[in-house]
Amino acid sequence: MTARAADRTRYNRATAHLDAPIAIVDLDAFDANADDLVRRAGGKPVRVASKSVRCRALLERVLARPGFAGIMSFTLAESLWLARAGFDDVLLAYPSADRSAFAELAADPKLAAAVTVMVDDHAQLELIDASRAGGREEIRVCLELDTSLRMLGGRVRIGALRSPLRSPAHLAELARSVARRPGFRLVGLMAYEGHVAGVGDALAGRPLRSRAI
């Protein structure tokens, strides 16, 4: 019996008394994966992506381990929910247009201290201010820089089109706007090298692709 088949047998036995649908997590494997992430991070703190770990108890478990710090969340509404649940470092991964959630954020000092929103355009600052509904809390802002690979004068682009901020000059201009604007505080910068992340460079049976990468 293979290791995977043995695991399946063990899981089936452990959940035989439960009605489907169910989801299970092998906590030994979960903890081992967490340890390996910390090892590969080489001393840098690991921020957990909540869109990949859709269980609050597991988020609490992994963030209690050395080497982990903070959550990268999926939506602004989820960010507020996590902050209300006690998570005090929540980075929203994407710009949002959720006006009601921005109103909640701007009105609650606990939420405003815990949640950082993503911005990549001046218009998003305008939307946030228009959504405040009287809330005066300072909004923490992170800017996202597009780091996709551009070649041949920009005619060829490899990687996700994550942000319209495509140069240091564009980034600096928006950063100055945030810094000058009352009610906002610039606290971070994010970039995602999608053309590199998750792309293998030693693919079994694909030597030409591996060489190209």
Side-chain angles (χ1 to χ4, degrees):
M1 180 182 293
T2 65
R4 178 172 294 184
D7 284 341
R8 176 61 65 87
T9 298
R10 181 163 57 93
Y11 299 153
N12 287 342
R13 187 182 306 119
T15 59
H17 63 292
L18 300 174
D19 291 329
I22 60 173
I24 64 171
V25 175
D26 185 323
L27 293 178
D28 289 338
F30 182 87
D31 292 341
N33 287 339
D35 287 340
D36 193 50
L37 284 172
V38 171
R39 177 188 62 80
R40 286 185 282 164
K44 293 183 174 61
V46 178
R47 184 177 290 273
V48 183
S50 64
K51 73 175 184 179
S52 300
V53 183
R54 306 300 289 166
C55 174
R56 194 175 78 185
L58 292 178
L59 291 172
E60 292 169 344
R61 183 184 184 94
V62 75
L63 287 171
R65 303 175 69 86
F68 289 86
I71 295 173
M72 185 167 70
S73 58
F74 188 44
T75 68
L76 183 53
E78 178 187 271
S79 303
L80 303 185
W81 178 77
L82 289 168
R84 289 193 178 98
F87 296 97
D88 60 5
D89 181 3
V90 182
L91 171 67
L92 177 58
Y94 312 99
S96 175
D98 188 336
R99 291 177 171 83
S100 61
F102 277 126
E104 292 181 59
L105 180 64
D108 189 315
K110 178 184 176 182
L111 298 180
V115 175
T116 299
V117 302
M118 194 64 61
V119 167
D120 61 19
D121 191 278
H122 294 275
Q124 291 155 15
L125 302 176
E126 298 287 349
L127 183 144
I128 294 171
D129 269 341
S131 304
R132 285 180 178 271
R136 297 181 177 274
E137 294 300 322
E138 187 175 63
I139 304 299
R140 294 167 53 88
V141 170
C142 180
L143 302 183
E144 180 168 16
L145 176 67
D146 177 44
T147 54
S148 58
L149 178 62
R150 294 175 178 274
M151 300 181 293
L152 301 178
R155 292 189 295 275
V156 175
R157 181 180 59 79
I158 302 174
L161 181 59
R162 294 268 308 192
S163 167
L165 301 177
R166 298 169 190 160
S167 72
H170 291 152
L171 182 68
E173 179 186 359
L174 185 54
R176 285 191 290 267
S177 293
V178 174
R180 289 194 299 261
R181 196 178 187 105
F184 294 88
R185 180 154 63 99
L186 181 60
V187 298
L189 168 66
M190 185 177 84
Y192 174 61
E193 63 276 37
H195 55 289
V196 175
V199 179
D201 57 3
L203 305 176
R206 306 186 71 178
L208 295 180
R209 177 178 171 84
S210 297
R211 181 176 295 181
I213 293 171

